[in-house]
Amino acid sequence: MRLLTWNIQCGIGCDGVTDLARIVSVARAMMDADVYCFQEVSDGFSKFDGGADQGAQLAALLPGYTPVFRPAIEAADAQGRSHRFGNMTLSRLPVPQIDNHLLPWPGAASVRSMRRHALSVTVRAAFGPLRIVNTHLEFHAAAQREAQIARLLDLQEEASMSAM
């Protein structure tokens, strides 16, 4: 089984151009993955994505893959339009289970940060079920990162206990 994970930063390349087709092209050139895990996928945040649904665009660019997008951040504007930001997993293997877990966010007001989550997708691989956790830990605050890692370890322990 082959897996590729990539923080796509809302599809913005090093040249400042937002181009999801280019990102998928590079990802596919790197490997023919069974599962792609993308972080920082945006939907309706015009300053990041021009108001586009990047999850839908990525799904269209990877036909034959089951798309699973879950937001860490979700809000509605005054006109009722949804704005979402999170992680996306695309799998060409069957996906019998999906879980989404918000991660701790201690001291959020005191440092530059954003809400984080762990998107857990179980796929049916040739060797049996495999749980893949797609996450994006906090960069700017070590205390937040440590709390997030502790929660991920707890989630792993919970998943291991329920599998017995």
Side-chain angles (χ1 to χ4, degrees):
M1 193 192 111
R2 298 173 62 110
L3 181 142
L4 183 135
T5 184
W6 188 347
N7 178 348
I8 65 166
Q9 299 179 328
C10 302
I12 301 170
C14 294
D15 57 2
V17 175
T18 301
D19 187 345
L20 292 176
R22 175 174 59 179
I23 285 177
V24 169
S25 176
V26 170
R28 291 189 126 179
M30 290 170 66
M31 76 169 60
D32 181 31
D34 297 300
V35 179
Y36 291 99
C37 296
F38 296 127
Q39 301 85 43
E40 294 193 19
V41 177
S42 183
D43 173 15
F45 278 102
S46 57
K47 94 176 191 185
F48 300 124
D49 59 29
D53 180 346
Q54 291 187 333
Q57 290 176 340
L58 289 166
L61 290 165
L62 288 162
Y65 287 76
T66 300
V68 180
F69 172 79
R70 295 294 184 273
I73 300 167
E74 188 165 14
D77 63 20
Q79 290 74 39
R81 289 183 300 244
S82 179
H83 304 280
R84 303 180 315 149
F85 184 84
N87 299 333
M88 183 169 197
T89 301
L90 297 107
S91 173
R92 69 173 161 210
L93 303 172
V95 179
Q97 185 173 343
I98 302 165
D99 295 296
N100 194 41
H101 307 276
L102 289 176
L103 296 177
W105 202 20
S110 64
V111 294
R112 179 179 171 207
S113 67
M114 70 175 86
R115 189 77 183 158
R116 308 294 176 139
H117 70 118
L119 172 56
S120 174
V121 174
T122 300
V123 299
R124 250 188 254 121
F127 50 82
L130 177 65
R131 186 170 159 260
I132 298 167
V133 180
N134 180 358
T135 191
H136 178 221
L137 299 179
E138 179 56 51
F139 175 77
H140 297 283
Q144 287 183 13
R145 208 168 34 254
E146 289 167 8
Q148 292 164 358
I149 291 167
R151 179 63 181 135
L152 289 169
L153 292 171
D154 289 344
L155 289 169
Q156 180 57 33
E157 186 174 327
E158 290 170 19
S160 296
M161 296 305 284
S162 67
M164 294 181 160

